Amino acid sequence: MGSLRRRLHQDVLRIDVHPFRRDGAYLLATFDVVSEGDRQYVAVPAPFSNGSNPFSTNADYARFTLVDPATKARYLPLKMDKEFVENFVAGLDKGEVNRSYVYYPAPADSVTSITLEVEGLGSVPDVPIE
């Protein structure tokens, strides 16, 4: 689908985007986070937290937003009670992969692709929804 990179000093993470899947009223977003740096990556603090949207505060993927290209509706990570429905990025050795899952509210059934925006890193358009 596409990839984005996060570089901070010697730490380099590549985010590979996979097709998203519907799960009832939700959308399951799947990413591979790959360490490309020259040393072990320690995920403290979480590399994609601290986005600018107050709703996503404390989410490990707070910077990840889905955007419907037709309506411009924006979808933020799903929060159940006080926790976000996501897994975290673990510490990674060079070349290691962390498969990540984040749940979002699903757009209308007629939406067959969506844009992933990652604050400060860019976007991946036309991510298929299966």
Side-chain angles (χ1 to χ4, degrees), residues 34-113:
V34 183
S35 176
E36 294 185 329
D38 292 329
R39 60 189 176 128
Q40 183 182 40
Y41 174 74
V42 179
V44 177
F48 310 115
S49 61
N50 301 324
S52 63
N53 191 303
F55 175 83
S56 298
T57 299
N58 298 324
D60 282 350
Y61 292 90
R63 295 180 181 198
F64 286 52
T65 302
L66 304 183
V67 181
D68 181 328
T71 67
K72 305 301 181 210
R74 302 176 70 76
Y75 300 89
L76 300 171
L78 182 65
K79 189 174 188 178
M80 300 288 250
D81 192 26
K82 296 180 182 183
E83 299 292 323
F84 289 90
V85 186
E86 61 185 1
N87 65 322
F88 61 93
V89 177
L92 299 167
D93 288 328
K94 183 176 181 175
E96 273 192 310
V97 177
N98 184 97
R99 175 68 48 103
S100 299
Y101 302 97
V102 182
Y103 270 87
Y104 292 86
D109 288 344
S110 60
V111 177
T112 58
S113 68

